Amino acid sequence: MRFAELAEAYTKVEATPKRLEMRSLLAELLGRVSGEELGELLYLSQGLLAPEYEGIELGMADSLARRAVAIATHVPEREVALDVKASGDLGTTAEALLRRPRLPEEGPGPTVSEVYRTLRRIAEASGEGSQELKVNLLVGLLGRVAPVEARYLVRFVLGRLRLGVREMTILDALAARFSDGSKEARARIEAAFNVSSDLARVAEVLSASGVAGLDEIRLTVGRPVRPMLAERSPDLADVLERMEGRAALEYKYDGLRVQAHVPANGPARLFSRRLEDLSGQFPELVEALPRALARRPAIVEGECVSVDPDTDEIRPFQEVSRRRGRKYDLARMQEEVPVSLFLFDLLLDADGPLLDRALPERRTRLEALVRPDPQVRLATQRLVGDVASAQAFFDESIAAGCEGVMAKSLSNESLYRAGARGDWWIKYKREYTTGLADSIDGAVVGAFLGRGRRAGTYGALLMAVYDPGQDRFESFCKVGSGFDDAGLKALPERLRSYEVDHVPPEVSTGLVPDRWMRPGLVLEVRGAELSLSPIHRAAFGRIRPGAGLALRFPRFTGRYREDKGATEATTSKELEEMFATQVKRPTRARETAENP
Ligand code: AMP
């Protein structure tokens, strides 16, 4: 097929706002090509050169494309730039400046395949002289095409084709063109896409061997699967009801979803929820994964969160997001924001794909496969059959720094449903994140020994508020952040005189620190919010039976309240009031960023 035909179809696609019409235009186009050209046409129409997960970018800067247009049209670059100012688009400018009839001796213009191959060469050119090469290749193409073709070529190389051709529309067009049009056929085509994440490959198989041929598209290491998604629920009773009374609950970690492809030999490849390649951003996971899995190949899925190396506590989402998209300064970032991957699913193991196995079997196999280490661990899971246990697990999850729970169905139907959302996974999070305006003055009642960089000093301190009614110190958090190096080093000495070898009778906590401290030293801490926790004892049972108040993501402000004695610490009553009045604010911003 000539690229001119494709460009003509693009003008029509661009002109229609109707999905149905777009679908018939595409289906009609698909009927005119075959073999490799079919795939190339689909890539080009989506503004791509390969499946999205390959991450191939054209890498043509505006200035280079402008220079190519100037050379190809024999118009000074300055004038090209002026025209772009008016038109707002270099593609439109190229079309206008090229407006001249095609000369017979110029031949019939390039084919779709020729254009595709040249664009790939432009994308792949790198290193010394590559900029010149990119410009020359584009000039070569522009010299052979009609004005309307130039419009789309230029937009393509700038990464701004934006025809609005969505994956779903292409799937519809493929079904219209290559199947009997039945619902089942459409579903099989979509399933093949969900497993391969590659529309071109689906199209090529369809054109060669029809819907029946799609069985050959199987899960493969190195090709990401479209991730399974979750429904949501406003309360735990509803969750359990929808799961027939029993479910596997897991901590819902608040980080980045990672699908890790670990081949039999060689490094792992990591893909994001949107199937972008994340391998370069998390080299420590690429390296740790093959070690942490007893058998390979494997495809595992988990959530990557930042973990405090000294206290092993999960850090807020904002921390891990600092690693996202980062290409430079990786070594420093690895040190500043160390991460752990909490695995929750197994999609393929050495015995083959597991997408059609029920969740309990996938989890059992995952547990047998993983040799947990600090970087690769298992997501915490518990089987529950009543609301009270579900609530207790939820509280634990929040106290551990997670954002809620993910309930997973235990039924035979709980297959890994690539790209699908249903009642097999239901998320339940707190509806609000909350802001805590006030700081809290806490009494130190215990200390945890440091590890790694903090070996020889303390990694975290156990903090308590005071209940004057009962003359009791009730724990509300473990704080390890916010100390500077000198302050840290001085901690054991500073705390020495408070140290005792048993839990002081006036202290109440669900934790057992390495060293107990008689309440005496008061520190000012701040945190993101107060939540209910089964392990902390502040205002225990006063808000909910079996739960106390905990401060999430606590941080030492740097102020030792030496002006205060332990009994002048914040009281549990004050904490209770802070809990009742803390500012509630919907979490929408993050939701939309993650799930556009
Ligand atoms: P949301 O982003 O709120 O729609 O919730 C779904 C996301 O939760 C998934 O895409 C994962 O990134 C994340 N997640 C965290 N923990 C789990 C878990 N245990 N199982 C499944 N997904 C999880």
Side-chain angles (χ1 to χ4, degrees):
M1 187 200 259
R2 297 285 154 198
F3 185 67
E5 288 177 64
L6 190 56
E8 194 197 315
Y10 284 172
T11 58
K12 293 186 190 148
V13 167
E14 226 178 2
T16 175
K18 296 198 195 103
R19 191 172 144 171
L20 265 182
E21 203 171 312
M22 206 184 265
R23 184 186 76 186
S24 21
L25 281 166
L26 278 172
E28 199 267 323
L29 265 181
L30 294 174
R32 286 195 265 152
V33 285
S34 62
E36 260 179 34
E37 209 169 29
L38 185 55
E40 292 163 357
L41 179 147
L42 284 181
Y43 288 140
L44 289 179
S45 307
Q46 295 176 89
L48 298 171
L49 288 169
E52 215 164 353
Y53 66 81
E54 293 288 358
I56 297 185
E57 277 173 34
L58 222 75
M60 194 119 179
D62 280 51
S63 56
L64 289 190
R66 197 169 54 223
R67 191 175 344 139
V69 169
I71 298 171
T73 55
H74 309 289
V75 173
E77 214 177 314
R78 216 173 349 98
E79 281 175 38
V80 175
L82 272 179
D83 198 282
V84 173
K85 260 207 176 128
S87 75
D89 162 43
L90 185 60
T92 310
T93 291
E95 181 179 15
L97 297 179
L98 213 63
R99 210 157 264 304
R100 56 167 174 83
R102 177 191 293 289
L103 307 172
E105 65 271 21
E106 286 174 334
T111 63
V112 170
S113 271
E114 281 175 275
V115 167
Y116 175 82
R117 284 195 296 266
T118 311
L119 292 173
R120 264 201 94 115
R121 284 183 64 200
I122 295 180
E124 280 156 14
S126 66
E128 209 182 315
S130 61
Q131 302 215 340
E132 275 320 296
L133 181 59
K134 285 176 197 279
V135 172
N136 290 342
L137 286 166
L138 182 56
V139 170
L141 267 184
L142 290 175
R144 295 178 59 203
V145 298
V148 59
E149 293 170 77
R151 181 206 307 173
Y152 294 110
L153 269 181
V154 168
R155 286 187 190 165
F156 189 97
V157 299
L158 292 174
R160 292 184 209 134
L161 187 61
R162 294 195 199 114
L163 289 172
V165 179
R166 295 184 179 288
E167 282 158 353
M168 285 305 136
T169 314
I170 296 182
L171 288 172
D172 287 343
L174 287 171
R177 172 78 193 98
F178 295 113
S179 81
D180 58 9
S182 68
K183 257 192 162 159
E184 294 70 39
R186 172 67 173 71
R188 281 184 73 181
I189 294 171
E190 185 164 340
F193 171 57
N194 284 336
V195 165
S196 64
S197 310
D198 186 349
L199 281 172
R201 176 151 154 70
V202 174
E204 281 168 29
V205 170
L206 276 173
S207 89
S209 30
V211 175
L214 291 176
D215 286 345
E216 78 179 63
I217 298 190
R218 302 192 70 204
L219 180 58
T220 329
V221 176
R223 285 173 183 271
V225 183
R226 299 175 47 84
M228 179 160 175
L229 304 170
E231 288 286 350
R232 68 174 71 219
S233 166
D235 78 88
L236 285 168
D238 171 68
V239 170
L240 282 179
E241 201 170 298
R242 280 154 72 178
M243 301 222 163
E244 286 154 12
R246 245 169 65 81
L249 291 199
E250 294 174 2
Y251 282 5
K252 186 173 187 305
Y253 300 88
D254 192 8
L256 304 173
R257 184 165 185 165
V258 169
Q259 189 182 112
H261 289 235
V262 191
N265 295 297
R269 259 183 96 179
L270 314 178
F271 298 101
S272 73
R273 176 193 180 119
R274 293 194 191 149
L275 311 185
E276 303 130 311
D277 195 323
L278 293 176
S279 316
Q281 294 163 40
F282 298 100
E284 70 267 54
L285 295 182
V286 169
E287 208 180 288
L289 274 158
R291 262 189 281 124
L293 302 181
R295 286 167 79 217
R296 293 173 303 274
I299 301 178
V300 289
E301 229 180 5
E303 190 85 349
C304 174
V305 294
S306 161
V307 170
D308 188 313
D310 303 311
T311 63
D312 211 35
E313 283 171 302
I314 291 176
R315 308 290 308 140
F317 173 75
Q318 289 71 11
E319 287 288 307
V320 69
S321 67
R322 289 173 60 205
R323 295 282 304 263
R324 191 83 175 77
R326 212 169 272 232
K327 297 195 179 124
Y328 310 101
D329 259 354
L330 275 177
R332 185 172 61 84
M333 284 314 282
Q334 274 182 57
E335 186 143 321
E336 265 179 40
V337 187
V339 296
S340 284
L341 184 61
F342 287 87
L343 297 178
F344 53 73
D345 219 317
L346 177 64
L347 280 54
L348 173 147
D349 70 6
D351 297 329
L354 300 169
L355 301 182
D356 56 0
R357 306 299 171 87
L359 175 84
E361 178 182 347
R362 300 202 308 276
R363 175 75 190 197
T364 308
R365 284 179 180 250
L366 178 67
E367 285 171 12
L369 188 67
V370 179
R371 300 183 286 221
D373 71 13
Q375 256 130 29
V376 180
R377 321 182 197 194
L378 282 166
T380 302
Q381 190 194 67
R382 187 175 305 157
L383 301 188
V384 301
D386 61 89
V387 177
S389 333
Q391 183 66 53
F393 186 76
F394 173 83
D395 290 346
E396 271 175 48
S397 160
I398 299 295
C402 296
E403 60 167 346
V405 291
M406 190 64 105
K408 297 189 176 174
S409 158
L410 297 167
S411 82
N412 293 336
E413 295 290 300
S414 60
L415 319 179
Y416 188 95
R417 299 176 187 260
R421 196 186 291 281
D423 268 358
W424 308 287
W425 284 14
I426 302 178
K427 62 187 170 194
Y428 171 64
K429 6 186 206 187
R430 280 159 328 131
E431 286 292 310
Y432 301 100
T433 58
T434 43
L436 202 58
D438 272 343
S439 60
I440 300 168
D441 296 325
V444 180
V445 296
F448 297 84
L449 297 179
R451 307 187 312 188
R453 213 158 37 90
R454 294 195 181 176
T457 176
Y458 294 132
L461 302 178
L462 183 60
M463 308 298 296
V465 287
Y466 183 57
D467 180 348
Q470 319 217 35
D471 188 22
R472 203 167 57 193
F473 290 86
E474 305 168 339
S475 76
F476 70 95
C477 76
K478 212 171 119 178
V479 65
S481 308
F483 294 92
D484 61 21
D485 287 348
L488 259 182
K489 244 174 111 187
L491 262 185
E493 197 45 51
R494 197 186 265 268
L495 284 166
R496 178 116 37 231
S497 59
Y498 302 104
E499 233 177 87
V500 284
D501 57 8
H502 53 271
V503 48
E506 68 271 36
V507 169
S508 173
T509 178
L511 286 171
V512 181
D514 296 307
R515 301 275 183 274
W516 289 108
M517 306 283 166
R518 213 168 22 80
L521 185 66
V522 176
L523 261 58
E524 185 182 77
V525 294
R526 274 184 186 281
E529 61 175 317
L530 290 165
S531 65
L532 289 163
S533 151
I535 50 179
H536 287 296
R537 292 288 183 269
F540 196 75
R542 299 220 285 266
I543 291 153
R544 187 155 66 223
L549 284 175
L551 182 65
R552 273 162 65 80
F553 306 126
R555 165 171 282 274
F556 174 42
T557 62
R559 289 181 67 191
Y560 293 95
R561 297 299 309 257
E562 275 159 321
D563 53 322
K564 281 194 167 185
T567 53
E568 287 162 288
T570 302
T571 64
S572 48
K573 180 114 200 320
E574 283 174 297
L575 216 59
E576 214 181 320
E577 283 161 12
M578 284 166 83
F579 177 76
T581 56
Q582 60 190 352
V583 209
K584 299 205 168 182
R585 141 171 71 84
T587 52
R588 289 286 148 63
R590 149 122 216 271
E591 286 250 308
T592 4
E594 281 280 291
N595 300 329

